[in-house]
């Protein structure tokens, strides 16, 4: 069984013979690669561009494509694009009844006598299932024997193991409920410090640092001291609210981990202002910090013009038609950036764009980051591939240059980094926004949430469940799907009476998920509201009539109102320049640079605190954009509804 040594629950292991099972935060290790020798080549349209010595292999984009690239042009020459007509797929056949066929187990065999009436058997089964990473089954085995009415002699241990399984499954509400029961019903249990420790982690995971620190302060001084410091060092940097951090410091002025984390935020997180100097000096003296390291760099002065680096995989070294077509979205994105540059220039807010070819691997990106001139940029845009996103995020934090990822929805990229932003709303933000909408607009208070077995969709579903239940609703089922496997689709819907739930959420872009879901709803005669991704509207296997006939709501962060003046004007200018209509990537490039370029001219290069203090505003082409409260991904997520084959925005949250 895997044990996380950084926060090992050693006391309980010795007292009860239980493995140290608490889920602990683990930071990803940086990847290592040997940089290749750069070959500089000038880009006459923009800035120095670094080309690879040989064509780089394609990497996976950091986001799901929002639309097929269509525009050409931009200041980079590409081979002519040829658009083939999409094949028309025949209507999908109705899915088979949602009854799960027998599925062969792929892991170790299940323990014998599951659901036994013997509490000792269930207890041993629970331990075995945790070791097999079958956490939900472990919770089912342990929950009955953890209750006081079971009168099981090892009920406290069963409750603790249940809480561990729940945290491993990221079911924070269930874990907290069981830990509260453990603390109130089994107050004399010797392993209670471990329960306090685990409950602090649950509070941190639920963005409740005040409660987490309160719980940790209740631990005996000689218990888990090193583990407590490790936990605080892992979670405190995730706090994004400066006012909350200051409040915590007032409550716990002698907490060294808290003070150090706040000093790091001031110096490296972009929080520092001249008003913070007395408090920072006090923390340096109180904690014995290295004054040279914790001396903030001079705040960059506002300038009349700013330099913006654009790090994109242009892949100039490969002129093939296939590469040019594959990279059309990059060309579109850059063309949108150039158009925003022109707009800002006309408004008296000039920017200089410097484009760098990063290729499709981290080796070429490292070559670009080694260029001396990059350290003098005021803003960096890019990259688009996951392999380089963390690398550039670390560079931005070390050099204290704001970096904006144009396409990724991975919220983990901006954790603990005050210099890194996502232009897109993260998957978790989308899940929270959808849950808030459902609770405010749908009358029934129960939901079933199904999601693909991927990181982004799991983050969406977990955020949806946590938010919806915090508001007062109830997610009665949260299930994973693998739409590539028909048995998994059937198992996901098996046993669900969709007519009896308030609404259904399906977090999946897979082409099979939509037709299957609609088929199950039709087979059951269920008319429940459905919340899903806007990509279903582009699925050739789903007719608009099928969607129009139901109460369907779409999460659509990049909704474009084609009648809006800004959208119409951008389209007109883009067609004049490129002789093709803009793709969603061109709109994205324009909105990104226009918004952040405006921030540069209003507040200078270190504008984080100004973003945190402002709310969402109406975008130039999209419905809204904003980073209030220290958020580092766009917090605006519109939901749309298909009515009479016309899209109408339902929740313009925070737009003014």
């Amino acid at each position: 069984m895997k044990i996380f040594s950084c926060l090992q629950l050693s006391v309980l292991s010795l007292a009860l013979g239980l493995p140290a099972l608490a889920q602990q935060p683990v930071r990803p290790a940086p990847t290592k690669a040997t940089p290749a020798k750069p070959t500089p080549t000038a880009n006459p349209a923009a800035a120095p561009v670094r080309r690879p010595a040989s064509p780089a292999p394609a990497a996976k984009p950091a986001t799901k494509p929002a639309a097929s690239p269509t525009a050409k042009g931009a200041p980079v020459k590409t081979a002519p694009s040829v658009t083939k007509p999409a094949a028309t797929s025949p209507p999908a056949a109705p899915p088979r009844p949602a009854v799960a066929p027998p599925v062969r187990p792929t892991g170790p065999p299940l323990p014998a006598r599951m659901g036994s009436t013997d509490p000792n058997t269930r207890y041993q089964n629970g331990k075995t299932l945790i070791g097999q990473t079958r956490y939900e089954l472990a919770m089912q085995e342990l929950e009955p024997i953890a209750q006081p009415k079971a009168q099981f002699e090892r009920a406290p241990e069963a409750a603790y193991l249940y809480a561990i399984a729940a945290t491993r499954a990221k079911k924070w509400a269930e874990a907290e409920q069981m830990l509260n029961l453990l603390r109130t019903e089994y107050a004399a249990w010797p392993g209670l410090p471990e329960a306090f420790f685990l409950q602090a982690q649950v509070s941190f995971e639920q963005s409740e640092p005040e409660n987490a620190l309160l719980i940790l302060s209740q631990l005996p001084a000689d218990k888990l001291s090193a583990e407590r410091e490790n936990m605080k060092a892992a979670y405190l940097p995730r706090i994004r609210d400066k006012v909350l951090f200051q409040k915590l410091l007032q409550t716990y002025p002698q907490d060294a981990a808290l003070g150090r984390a706040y000093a790091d935020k001031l110096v490296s997180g972009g929080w520092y202002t001249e008003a913070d100097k007395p408090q920072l000096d006090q923390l340096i003296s109180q904690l014995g910090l290295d004054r040279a390291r914790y001396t903030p760099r001079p705040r960059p002065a506002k300038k009349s013009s700013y330099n913006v680096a654009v790090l994109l995989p242009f892949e100039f070294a490969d002129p093939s038609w296939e590469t040019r077509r594959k990279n059309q979205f990059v060309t579109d994105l850059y063309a949108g950036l150039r158009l925003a540059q022109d707009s800002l220039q006309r408004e008296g807010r000039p920017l200089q764009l410097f484009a760098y070819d990063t290729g499709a691997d981290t080796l070429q990106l490292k070559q670009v980051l080694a260029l001396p001139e990059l350290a003098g940029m005021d803003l960096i845009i890019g990259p688009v591939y996951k392999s380089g996103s963390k690398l550039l995020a670390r560079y931005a934090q070390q050099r204290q240059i704001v970096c904006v990822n144009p396409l990724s929805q991975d919220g983990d990229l901006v954790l603990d980094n005050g210099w890194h932003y996502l232009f897109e709303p993260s998957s978790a933000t989308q899940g929270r926004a959808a849950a808030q909408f459902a609770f405010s607009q749908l009358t029934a208070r129960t939901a079933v949430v199904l999601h693909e077995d991927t990181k982004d969709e799991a983050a969406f579903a977990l955020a949806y469940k946590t938010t919806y239940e915090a508001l007062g609703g109830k997610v009665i089922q949260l299930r994973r799907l693998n739409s590539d496997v028909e048995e998994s689709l059937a198992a996901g819907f098996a046993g669900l009476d969709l007519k009896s739930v308030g609404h259904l959420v399906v977090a999946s872009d897979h082409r099979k998920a939509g037709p299957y879901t609609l088929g199950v709803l039709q087979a059951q005669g269920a008319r429940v509201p459905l919340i899903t991704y806007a990509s279903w509207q582009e699925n050739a296997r789903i007719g608009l009539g099928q969607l129009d006939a139901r109460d369907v709501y779409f999460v659509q962060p990049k909704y474009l109102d084609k009648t809006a003046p800004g959208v119409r004007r951008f389209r007109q200018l883009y067609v004049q320049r490129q002789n093709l209509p803009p793709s969603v990537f061109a709109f994205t490039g324009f909105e990104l640079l226009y918004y952040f370029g405006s921030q540069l001219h209003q507040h200078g290069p270190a504008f984080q605190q100004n973003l945190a203090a402002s709310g969402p505003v109406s975008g130039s082409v999209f419905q809204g954009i904003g980073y209030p409260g220290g958020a580092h991904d766009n917090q605006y997520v519109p939901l749309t509804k298909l009515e009479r084959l016309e899209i109408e925005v339902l929740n313009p949250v925070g737009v003014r």
Side-chain angles (χ1 to χ4, degrees), residues 27-28 62-64 237-240 265 386 389-390 393 405 407-432 454-460 463 627 630-635:
R27 296 181 183 273
T63 184
K64 298 178 281 289
R238 300 184 185 182
I239 300 176
R240 298 175 175 177
K265 284 285 190 179
K386 287 185 178 181
S389 295
K390 291 182 180 180
N405 190 302
L407 301 178
S408 178
Q409 297 178 359
D410 185 357
D412 290 346
L413 291 176
V414 294
L415 282 178
D416 311 341
N417 193 336
W419 298 90
H420 194 196
Y421 287 86
L422 302 183
F423 182 66
E424 301 276 357
S426 68
S427 298
T429 293
Q430 294 180 46
R432 287 191 292 270
T454 60
K455 178 182 177 181
D456 285 346
E457 276 61 49
F460 178 100
Y627 300 83
H632 279 248
D633 64 299
N634 185 5
Q635 296 295 289

Side-chain angles (χ1 to χ4, degrees), residues 38-227:
T39 305
T41 304
N43 175 11
V49 181
R50 296 300 179 261
R51 301 185 184 183
S54 60
K60 183 179 180 181
T63 184
K64 298 178 281 289
S68 57
T70 56
K72 68 176 183 178
V76 182
K77 292 184 179 181
T78 61
S81 300
V82 178
T83 305
K84 297 181 179 181
T88 304
S89 302
R96 299 175 184 176
V99 178
V103 179
R104 296 180 180 178
T106 57
L110 292 172
R113 300 177 61 193
M114 292 277 291
S116 171
T117 56
D118 177 26
N120 286 296
T121 299
R122 296 189 75 126
Y123 177 79
Q124 293 300 327
N125 286 347
K127 292 177 63 177
T128 300
L129 289 165
I130 292 175
Q132 295 176 349
T133 69
R134 290 165 165 159
Y135 304 122
E136 295 187 11
L137 290 176
M139 293 166 64
Q140 294 175 18
E141 286 291 284
L142 294 166
E143 193 274 335
I145 61 174
Q147 302 298 327
K149 63 182 180 182
Q151 298 184 349
F152 178 44
E153 60 181 2
R154 307 191 73 175
E157 293 96 313
Y160 180 71
L161 285 174
Y162 174 96
I164 288 174
T167 58
R168 291 286 187 88
K170 299 186 182 299
K171 294 181 175 291
W172 309 115
E174 290 83 346
E176 183 173 35
Q177 184 178 4
M178 184 60 75
L179 288 167
N180 286 334
L181 180 144
L182 177 59
R183 293 173 57 187
T184 56
E185 298 293 336
Y186 308 110
W189 182 51
L192 208 58
E194 282 70 27
F196 275 79
F197 181 80
L198 186 59
Q199 190 157 25
Q201 182 193 356
V202 171
S203 293
F204 272 128
E205 287 286 353
Q206 296 186 108
S207 301
E208 298 173 352
E210 309 102 311
N211 192 51
L213 292 176
L214 176 62
I215 294 171
L216 289 176
S217 69
Q218 296 173 2
L219 280 168
D222 60 338
K223 298 290 186 181
L224 303 171
S225 57
E227 290 82 356

Side-chain angles (χ1 to χ4, degrees), residues 138-400:
M139 293 166 64
Q140 294 175 18
E141 286 291 284
L142 294 166
E143 193 274 335
I145 61 174
Q147 302 298 327
K149 63 182 180 182
Q151 298 184 349
F152 178 44
E153 60 181 2
R154 307 191 73 175
E157 293 96 313
Y160 180 71
L161 285 174
Y162 174 96
I164 288 174
T167 58
R168 291 286 187 88
K170 299 186 182 299
K171 294 181 175 291
W172 309 115
E174 290 83 346
E176 183 173 35
Q177 184 178 4
M178 184 60 75
L179 288 167
N180 286 334
L181 180 144
L182 177 59
R183 293 173 57 187
T184 56
E185 298 293 336
Y186 308 110
W189 182 51
L192 208 58
E194 282 70 27
F196 275 79
F197 181 80
L198 186 59
Q199 190 157 25
Q201 182 193 356
V202 171
S203 293
F204 272 128
E205 287 286 353
Q206 296 186 108
S207 301
E208 298 173 352
E210 309 102 311
N211 192 51
L213 292 176
L214 176 62
I215 294 171
L216 289 176
S217 69
Q218 296 173 2
L219 280 168
D222 60 338
K223 298 290 186 181
L224 303 171
S225 57
E227 290 82 356
R228 275 184 279 172
E229 296 307 303
N230 288 337
M231 177 179 285
K232 287 188 282 189
Y235 282 105
L236 289 174
R238 300 184 185 182
I239 300 176
R240 298 175 175 177
D241 189 335
K242 186 177 181 180
V243 174
L244 172 59
F245 228 134
Q246 292 173 334
K247 178 182 176 182
L248 294 174
L249 276 172
Q250 292 174 359
T251 307
Y252 304 99
Q254 302 304 316
D255 192 312
L258 183 64
R260 189 177 299 107
Y262 185 67
D264 288 335
K265 284 285 190 179
L266 290 176
V267 176
S268 302
W271 286 8
Y272 182 79
T273 65
E274 285 302 317
D276 296 309
K277 188 177 187 303
Q279 187 172 27
L280 180 58
D281 288 339
Q282 178 186 347
L283 291 172
I284 292 173
S285 302
Q286 175 185 334
L287 302 175
L289 302 176
D290 182 355
R291 187 169 291 275
R293 177 186 173 188
Y294 284 91
T295 298
R297 298 180 184 180
R299 189 177 182 89
K302 294 179 65 175
K303 302 187 297 186
S304 59
S305 180
Y306 292 93
N307 296 330
V308 179
V310 180
L311 277 57
L312 295 176
F314 296 106
E315 298 195 52
F316 293 125
D318 184 0
S320 67
W321 179 88
E322 292 81 6
T323 299
R324 298 276 68 84
R325 181 61 177 167
K326 174 178 69 70
N327 268 23
Q328 187 66 48
F329 78 99
V330 175
T331 304
D332 294 353
L333 184 68
Y334 188 65
L337 294 172
R338 288 294 298 262
L339 205 55
Q341 180 189 25
D342 291 347
S343 296
L344 290 168
Q345 178 75 37
R346 288 195 298 270
E347 297 171 7
R349 296 181 285 179
L351 296 172
Q352 302 301 318
L353 287 183
F354 297 87
Y356 296 85
D357 185 1
T358 60
D361 60 6
T362 56
L363 292 179
Q364 194 169 345
L365 176 60
K366 287 181 178 180
Q367 296 170 21
V368 173
L369 296 181
L371 297 174
E373 69 262 25
L374 203 68
M377 295 295 169
D378 300 303
L379 179 71
I380 300 176
I381 297 172
V384 298
Y385 294 130
K386 287 185 178 181
S387 56
S389 295
K390 291 182 180 180
L391 186 65
L392 183 56
R394 287 193 297 271
Y395 178 91
Q397 188 172 37
Q398 292 166 0
R399 301 296 181 129
Q400 297 192 2

